[in-house]
Amino acid sequence: MGPELHLQMIAHRTTELREEADSYRLARKAQEDGKTHSSEKRRRGLFGKIIPA
C-alpha cells in the first residue's frame, strides 16, 4: 500500500470516528437531559402532595 493511500485511509477513518463520537455525545446529552426532566417532574409531584394547592 502506498503512503498516500495509507494517509487517505487514516484521514477517512479519523473523520468517521469523529462523527461517531459526535453522535454518541449528542445521544448521551439527550439521555442526561431526559433524566433531568424526569427528576424535575417527580419533585413537582412530591411538592404537590406535601403542599396542597
Side-chain angles (χ1 to χ4, degrees), residues 6-49:
H6 191 252
L7 184 61
Q8 286 177 352
M9 288 177 61
I10 291 172
H12 182 69
R13 183 66 179 144
T14 302
T15 304
E16 287 177 346
L17 290 173
R18 284 186 178 148
E19 289 172 356
E20 188 177 328
D22 287 341
S23 66
Y24 178 75
R25 225 176 275 121
L26 286 173
R28 288 287 305 261
K29 182 162 175 41
Q31 190 178 33
E32 288 172 4
D33 287 347
K35 288 180 182 177
T36 303
H37 292 304
S38 64
S39 63
E40 287 174 1
K41 287 179 185 174
R42 273 189 250 134
R43 274 190 247 132
R44 271 190 253 130
L46 177 65
F47 288 131
K49 292 176 184 174

